[in-house]
Amino acid sequence: MDTSSVDVAVVGTLNMDVIVQVTRMPEVGETVLGQSVSERPGGKGANQALAAAGLASTMLVGVVGRDDAGDRLLAVQDAGGVDTVYVSRVDEASGQAIIEVDDAGDNRIVVLVGANANLSTAHVEHALDAALPRVVLTQLESPSEVTAAVAAWCSRRSRRLLLNPSPVAELPGAVLAAADPLVVNEHEARFYASDDTDDPVAVAHALLEVATSAVITLGADGVVVAADGAVARIDVARVRAVDTTGAGDVFAGVLAAHLAHDSGLVEAAEQAAAAATAHVARRPPAVE
Ligand code: ADP
């Protein structure tokens, strides 16, 4: 891909998810027998890049290992049309997430950061300088100095930053302030709004005190968009949710693609919600 035409740069992680199905979770010190195991490419960066790539030219900036998992993670991105020129490789195992899912659908996840820990600010700045993407989307699975460098780069180059602060963590005020929008679920929204009211509209107004704009996803209850002092609510279609894994990632990637194409924030969020809702209604295939 000609990197001068990049719409969306996603800076983030690639992980191979190992999903173990159990009837019930083991107690501490207990052994239970698993029902099945499957692997699925994941990592928030990788998931969000794939979601954006269907709609806009997209590059992923990250690190995988020189291992079999790294080969497969890159192959999935390539097949999805993501530019992987700036996914570098190191002599360390690719990132992994060990996910136990029980019959009630509850999960427990252990993430092994692996190769992702090697993502450096120098590499990220080099990639962004080379591609000059219209929008940059990042999460909090990468080293914290990388997140700060991405936010600073966007401010310096007047590029739009979409920040999906997941997994939730304290952030410098300048990083939050650069987010346009901050893309959060209900739990993350409350954390950054320092507001424990149940009213998402009030939380959205509070987020405008810390970020340039904000989009709060509320699962089946829709989406709240806050920008320029105004708050709008978007409803989502009623669907039978089969698997909500990665719904937030589909939302963030599709939102980035539409914003790169100059959609308004509410319109982009409507498209993102439609895509995420369609995603939860179908079960993704496991990769053998
Ligand atoms: P996260 O996975 O980050 O917690 P949400 O659960 O808020 O994010 O889901 C993100 C988006 O996925 C929602 O805004 C919505 O569009 C869609 N979605 C998630 N769960 C459902 C559901 N049960 N029914 C319909 N849409 C859903």
Side-chain angles (χ1 to χ4, degrees):
M1 186 193 291
D2 172 7
T3 45
S4 64
S5 65
V6 168
D7 294 319
V8 178
V10 180
V11 178
T13 54
L14 301 94
N15 291 327
M16 189 56 82
D17 295 346
V18 180
I19 302 134
V20 182
Q21 187 73 43
V22 292
T23 307
R24 65 170 180 82
M25 297 292 177
E27 303 291 337
V28 175
E30 188 193 8
T31 301
V32 298
L33 299 181
Q35 308 301 117
S36 64
V37 62
S38 58
E39 286 194 342
R40 191 158 75 189
K44 286 188 174 295
N47 291 344
Q48 295 183 6
L50 284 173
L55 299 158
S57 66
T58 301
M59 68 184 266
L60 177 58
V61 186
V63 187
V64 294
R66 280 192 195 89
D67 51 6
D68 175 60
D71 290 345
R72 287 185 290 149
L73 289 169
L74 280 174
V76 169
Q77 293 295 313
D78 290 338
V82 176
D83 181 351
T84 56
V85 169
Y86 291 102
V87 179
S88 57
R89 304 196 74 166
V90 293
D91 285 327
E92 203 173 318
S94 293
Q96 261 191 310
I98 312 297
I99 306 174
E100 297 169 356
V101 184
D102 68 15
D103 279 354
D106 290 324
N107 63 40
R108 289 202 309 205
I109 304 178
V110 177
V111 173
L112 300 156
V113 174
N116 293 298
N118 296 279
L119 187 61
S120 71
T121 56
H123 175 70
V124 170
E125 285 168 352
H126 173 68
L128 295 177
D129 280 337
L132 295 176
R134 294 170 67 83
V135 308
V136 183
L137 169 60
T138 196
Q139 317 77 29
L140 300 190
E141 286 187 340
S142 299
S144 57
E145 68 272 15
V146 167
T147 311
V150 169
W153 187 90
C154 288
S155 301
R156 209 161 56 237
R157 296 286 194 162
S158 304
R159 294 309 205 266
R160 190 166 196 162
L161 171 70
L162 283 79
L163 178 62
N164 174 218
S166 178
V168 74
E170 291 287 352
L171 282 171
V175 172
L176 280 171
D180 184 21
L182 188 68
V183 185
V184 282
N185 63 22
E186 237 176 322
H187 162 70
E188 293 150 0
R190 284 211 194 91
F191 180 88
Y192 293 108
S194 308
D195 188 325
D196 41 19
T197 133
D198 274 340
D199 175 10
V201 173
V203 173
H205 277 294
L207 285 180
L208 287 180
E209 304 287 322
V210 295
T212 300
S213 62
V215 176
I216 310 175
T217 63
L218 305 169
D221 292 331
V223 178
V224 174
V225 177
D228 303 321
V231 172
R233 276 201 86 128
I234 297 168
D235 290 328
V236 295
R238 289 196 163 274
V239 296
R240 199 173 79 81
V242 176
D243 184 352
T244 60
T245 316
D249 291 338
V250 170
F251 186 94
V254 172
L255 185 74
H258 283 280
L259 290 178
H261 287 155
D262 293 330
S263 296
L265 189 55
V266 171
E267 187 196 333
E270 282 169 353
Q271 299 290 339
T277 300
H279 174 84
V280 305
R282 71 179 190 315
R283 186 179 291 277
V287 173
E288 297 307 328

